[in-house]
Amino acid sequence: MAAATGGDVNALMELISPEVTLWTDGGGKVRQALRPVVGAETVAGWFAVIGTVTYQGVEPADMKAELVEINGASGILFSGPDRVIATVTFDFGADGRIAAIHNVANPDKLQAIAGGTSYDIGTQ
């Protein structure tokens, strides 16, 4: 969680597979990568940048990241003061490292998660 949201590229590099693929879904309504982002350095760089820029009109300081359950597994829910911004879920390889990352920012799909249960990441 800290590596993905805090821009700590070195910590993130230890967690992700060298062949990791980041899949994004903006549904044509939110700006996202048009093609899969492939490779540990490229994916880590994407996360490092996204945590430092205004995203969908929300400043980084106004964005909240929570550990939540998404489709029966742990994920990260990003929200602004008035709405859900995005979710991030992970697929793990046999070595325990992150093999795929799924970032959903499509507002139509996020309606389903807006009322979900969140957990204090300090207790998980």
Side-chain angles (χ1 to χ4, degrees), residues 62-118:
D62 296 330
M63 193 168 299
K64 180 179 174 184
E66 300 175 86
L67 183 64
V68 298
E69 185 175 294
I70 301 172
N71 295 330
S74 295
I76 302 172
L77 175 85
F78 292 92
S79 57
D82 60 348
R83 68 187 191 283
V84 173
I85 303 294
T87 61
V88 174
T89 57
F90 308 95
D91 294 337
F92 295 90
D95 63 357
R97 296 171 91 180
I98 297 169
I101 303 170
H102 305 274
N103 175 343
V104 176
N106 180 339
D108 297 333
K109 292 180 180 177
L110 294 176
Q111 290 176 9
I113 196 164
T117 303
S118 63

Side-chain angles (χ1 to χ4, degrees), residues 11-62:
L12 191 58
M13 292 292 286
E14 293 178 21
L15 300 173
I16 58 180
S17 167
E19 301 85 23
V20 67
T21 300
L22 167 65
W23 301 89
T24 65
D25 177 1
K29 298 178 179 187
V30 175
R31 187 173 179 192
Q32 290 284 309
L34 297 176
R35 295 190 176 109
V37 180
V38 180
E41 288 183 20
T42 307
V43 169
W46 189 87
F47 273 100
V49 170
I50 200 85
T52 63
V53 297
T54 301
Y55 184 71
Q56 296 186 41
V58 179
E59 295 291 331
D62 296 330

